[in-house]
Amino acid sequence: MPLTATDANTPVIMVLEDDPEIARLICMSLGEYGFRCEHVSTGQQLLARARRSAPDLCIVDLGLPDMDGMQVVRELQDGSPCAVLILTGRNDVTDRVLGLELGADDYIVKPFEPRELVARVRSILRRYQRAAAPETPTERTIARFADWTFDASRHALSAPDGREISLSAAEASLLATLLLRPNKILSREQLLGERDVDPFDRSIDVRISRLRRKLDDDPHNPRLIKTVYGAGYLFSAQVAWS
């Protein structure tokens, strides 16, 4: 399927969907709002395309003809980290949690409202744009805290012993948001970059748990990312940007 727009500065959305009618609806809906869409129908096609040039966001169906969509999400985050929105007919809580654990940014169940899909895509991309452009007066991108180093421009995290820790794009975006506002309580809305978050939405808690594991932060007694019950989360460390 050809690109739906020609502006090279417009975010590129890869659509992995084996149903051509659903793929056409997705691409048409996003194209109306200026996004460039490219459609592929198998997981291998998407992974090959992402290796050549990582898109800004991938919309991934879970039921595919050649491989499970969860494996696609895992391999994307391991090899070509980018934003991921799962769009599937599976409405199981286990699938939702697993998708988020693997690095997906959001999860929508079919049938879907095209306007909601566009809104979710916009919300995810806003989060990444903020993470890629730290709110510091000198555009500094290297953060150092508790003997850890995070390069926001490359989504690269280095442990105190020098190990390189693999971060998904979603994890890097969340960490950047926390590091930009250390020692301040951030609500779920602030961490997700959305005004209205469903009180039963636990996606941010899943991402915090995953990030704590990457930072060797004991979930029962965290020293870096602390839970402030009823309010949100607080990054409890001094952060130096350079």
Side-chain angles (χ1 to χ4, degrees), residues 5 7 19 21 23 85 87 100 102 108 112 123 128 136-137 155 172 176 180 199 208 222 230-231 236:
D7 184 358
D19 186 320
E21 287 302 310
L85 170 63
L87 178 63
L100 294 169
L102 291 175
I108 299 180
F112 62 95
S123 177
Y128 281 82
T136 56
H155 291 180
L180 288 168
I208 288 287
S236 180

Side-chain angles (χ1 to χ4, degrees), residues 33-199:
Y33 287 86
F35 292 105
R36 291 192 293 158
C37 292
E38 187 173 340
H39 170 229
V40 293
S41 56
T42 70
Q44 292 297 339
Q45 287 176 329
L46 175 64
L47 293 172
R49 166 64 176 77
R51 282 193 292 270
R52 292 196 301 271
S53 177
D56 295 282
L57 183 145
C58 289
I59 296 176
V60 177
D61 184 21
L62 296 182
L64 301 169
D66 63 330
M67 61 192 299
D68 186 77
M70 292 295 188
Q71 181 64 27
V72 174
V73 174
R74 180 184 291 110
E75 292 192 27
L76 272 175
Q77 299 303 348
D78 289 343
S80 308
C82 65
V84 174
L85 170 63
I86 292 175
L87 178 63
T88 180
R90 299 184 192 175
N91 191 17
D92 186 272
V93 172
T94 302
D95 283 325
R96 288 175 180 265
V97 172
L98 178 58
L100 294 169
E101 284 278 7
L102 291 175
D105 295 271
D106 209 341
Y107 192 111
I108 299 180
V109 177
K110 301 173 185 175
F112 62 95
E113 166 57 51
R115 288 175 297 179
E116 180 186 2
L117 175 65
V118 172
R120 299 283 189 101
V121 166
R122 282 176 163 173
S123 177
I124 292 170
L125 291 175
R126 279 198 301 269
R127 281 180 238 157
Y128 281 82
Q129 288 164 357
R130 282 195 295 268
E135 299 168 11
T136 56
T138 57
E139 297 296 321
R140 296 171 179 174
T141 60
I142 307 295
R144 293 180 174 81
F145 59 94
D147 296 325
W148 291 78
T149 302
F150 175 64
D151 184 343
S153 66
R154 298 190 300 112
H155 291 180
L157 178 66
S158 299
D161 61 5
R163 288 176 296 124
E164 288 288 326
I165 308 300
S166 174
L167 290 180
S168 71
E171 292 164 349
S173 176
L174 176 59
L175 179 58
T177 300
L178 290 165
L179 293 175
L180 288 168
R181 301 171 182 83
N183 299 298
K184 294 182 180 178
I185 298 172
L186 298 179
S187 67
R188 285 181 171 80
E189 290 81 1
Q190 288 174 300
L191 291 171
L192 283 171
E194 300 174 9
R195 294 182 180 178
D196 300 311
V197 175
D198 188 324

